Amino acid sequence: MTLKILDPTVSADEAAAVAVAKRVTDLDGKVLGLLHNGKVNGERLLEHVREQLAARYRLRDVVIVRKASASRVADDADLDRLARECDAVVTAIGD
Amino acid sequence: MALAAEYEVAGWAEAVETYFERGWTDGLPVVPATADAVRRFLDAAGRAPGEVVLTEPTRRRSITAEKIAINAVLAGCRPEYMPVLLAALDAMADPAFTLHGAITSTGGSATLVVVNGPIRPRLGFNAGGNVFGPGWRANATIGRAIRLVTLNCLGAQPGLLDRSTQGHPGKYSYCIAELEEENPWEPLHVDRGLPRGASAVTVFAAEGPHNVLSHYGETADAIIVALADTMACLGSFSPGQSFVVLAPEHVRILARDGWTKPRLREALYAGARRTRADLKRGGKLEGAVAPADEAAWVHRGGGPEDIHLVVAGGGAGGHSAFIPSWSRERNSLAVTREIR
């Protein structure tokens, strides 16, 4: 006898939709944000990213933000600052 | 009519294999979830299938009562366990628990669930011998259902979102009840602000239990020395909270020697300490050891109130347990909810 069984999963597309920020096509004259997750070595990884991007683009400025703890989400104040001041943000764990 | 997608399979054995093939188990066989079974679970909880009962705050993934019920069936729960499971999941969604961090971190925590109140005998929870071990359906399947929800609904699959370096066996199931009948003091849920007659769950993102054997002293002082020393172990040392699950034999000696819960918490906080020099030598703090570090003491937790005391275990044996927080800082705290 056949049986009908139910799917126990919740897929990502059922999550509340969040609008994605406008994409940038290059970083010339732009402000780059670097959000450090708080893990050991995250700063090193982001510094490497900064060097690589600075060699390729004329960055106007770089804003560096460090999360208080790797375990928690970034503070609203930090996210607001990155959104306000930066054209693009790179985040890294570097664990 | 179920809202979840249905899959037709040839029979019961094929259904079990289908759950394995799709990666919807914890590595053990599950009970296939049919629409009839899931309806019975939802009825027992008094919930509509589409009702959102949990929203994970970081990734904002919402989980309906139906998905919880499906996972409860898979875990082998009975329908009447649903209120316990829902209360535990509600507690885990509290921002103080830091659910996303707890289920994804390299630290590899599991959700320790402690059940209190009259629901314990009613649902057949074990609070006695082998309390962390196998043999009792309510303990085993409610703990398992929580793991299945994190795997199936929160995306915490090993190697994907769950990046545990090692994890621990409590990730299969980690649910105990307090042996309130052997507790000479107030039970955990009363400490946490609920009335004694209430039923409650307390959840804690936790490492596995560390055994604290103290057989021969037979005095409160000896037991406290052993407990505090275990709580000061370097591997788990942090400013995080602690659970101490006292064996009936140990708690009887503590009460006989005149100890109260507040006094015991203070003694354990005072004893569970290391020098900054030790913490640096053990790679727990950055930097070189300075002379002043040898006499600078750091305590486990933020104060005596960070030590949660529970009584559980068999009648014989001087084995208590220390359960450290997953959180190495103060990012994940114990959360209690009444079971309604």
Side-chain angles (χ1 to χ4, degrees), chain A residues 1-12 14-16 18 39 68-69 71-73 95, chain B residues 5-10 19 24 33 38 58 60-61 67 70-71 74 95 98 106 152-153 331:
Chain A
M1 199 182 101
T2 64
L3 195 68
K4 279 184 177 169
I5 59 170
L6 296 176
D7 176 352
T9 64
V10 175
S11 57
E14 292 173 44
V18 176
K39 285 271 189 178
S69 160
S71 304
R72 296 194 74 89
V73 294
D95 203 358
Chain B
E6 280 186 308
Y7 296 86
E8 188 161 345
V9 292
Y19 280 106
W24 292 343
V38 169
T58 302
R60 297 176 205 170
R61 194 168 282 201
K67 291 291 181 178
I70 294 170
N71 282 283
L74 298 185
T98 312
T106 53
N152 288 329
C153 302
N331 293 322

Side-chain angles (χ1 to χ4, degrees), chain B residues 31-115:
Chain B
V31 176
T34 61
D36 279 351
V38 169
R39 194 176 311 115
R40 282 197 301 277
F41 277 60
L42 287 168
D43 289 347
R47 304 287 188 131
E51 193 180 330
V52 172
V53 295
L54 183 150
T55 300
E56 189 284 304
T58 302
R59 299 177 76 235
R60 297 176 205 170
R61 194 168 282 201
S62 293
I63 307 174
T64 60
E66 183 185 60
K67 291 291 181 178
I68 304 296
I70 294 170
N71 282 283
V73 174
L74 298 185
C77 290
R78 294 176 58 88
E80 56 266 37
Y81 299 171
M82 278 291 280
V84 183
L85 182 58
L86 290 170
L89 292 167
D90 187 51
M92 289 167 68
D94 188 304
F97 187 84
T98 312
L99 177 56
H100 179 68
I103 63 176
T104 58
S105 167
T106 53
S109 77
T111 302
L112 172 69
V113 179
V114 183
V115 179

Side-chain angles (χ1 to χ4, degrees), chain B residues 49-287:
Chain B
E51 193 180 330
V52 172
V53 295
L54 183 150
T55 300
E56 189 284 304
T58 302
R59 299 177 76 235
R60 297 176 205 170
R61 194 168 282 201
S62 293
I63 307 174
T64 60
E66 183 185 60
K67 291 291 181 178
I68 304 296
I70 294 170
N71 282 283
V73 174
L74 298 185
C77 290
R78 294 176 58 88
E80 56 266 37
Y81 299 171
M82 278 291 280
V84 183
L85 182 58
L86 290 170
L89 292 167
D90 187 51
M92 289 167 68
D94 188 304
F97 187 84
T98 312
L99 177 56
H100 179 68
I103 63 176
T104 58
S105 167
T106 53
S109 77
T111 302
L112 172 69
V113 179
V114 183
V115 179
N116 278 98
I119 203 160
R120 295 166 305 134
R122 205 157 67 232
L123 296 186
F125 281 99
N126 178 32
N130 204 28
V131 70
F132 290 105
W136 280 266
R137 186 174 180 177
N139 303 53
T141 63
I142 288 172
R144 187 186 189 201
I146 287 171
R147 177 55 44 189
L148 288 171
V149 169
T150 64
L151 288 165
N152 288 329
C153 302
L154 295 171
Q157 296 281 348
L160 294 174
L161 278 185
D162 181 347
R163 310 298 292 194
S164 297
T165 306
Q166 296 191 322
H168 67 79
K171 292 183 78 167
Y172 282 101
S173 182
Y174 202 9
C175 176
I176 67 171
E178 177 158 22
L179 191 58
E180 295 174 24
E181 296 73 14
E182 293 286 335
N183 187 342
W185 310 311
E186 298 289 8
L188 178 69
H189 66 303
V190 176
D191 287 345
R192 308 281 300 160
L194 291 173
R196 197 178 177 110
S199 290
V201 284
T202 300
V203 297
F204 185 54
E207 292 185 9
H210 300 208
N211 184 24
V212 184
L213 182 158
S214 177
H215 269 146
Y216 303 113
E218 294 187 358
T219 64
D221 290 347
I223 293 164
I224 290 164
V225 165
L227 283 169
D229 187 80
T230 310
M231 291 173 69
C233 76
L234 214 45
S236 296
F237 198 85
S238 83
Q241 294 187 322
S242 305
F243 268 70
V244 174
V245 181
L246 294 165
E249 186 175 307
H250 281 168
V251 84
R252 272 197 297 274
I253 294 168
L254 288 161
R256 180 203 70 197
D257 289 358
W259 285 76
T260 61
K261 249 190 180 182
R263 198 173 146 219
L264 179 58
R265 281 199 193 96
E266 280 169 24
L268 294 177
Y269 179 73
R273 63 177 192 162
R274 301 297 291 235
T275 62
R276 282 180 60 83
D278 275 353
L279 296 175
K280 285 185 173 177
R281 277 193 284 265
K284 306 288 287 189
L285 287 178
E286 276 183 311

Side-chain angles (χ1 to χ4, degrees), chain A residues 36-47 92-95:
Chain A
H36 170 30
N37 175 279
K39 285 271 189 178
V40 179
N41 296 325
E43 269 156 334
R44 267 195 235 179
L45 188 59
L46 284 173
E47 177 54 25
I93 293 177
D95 203 358

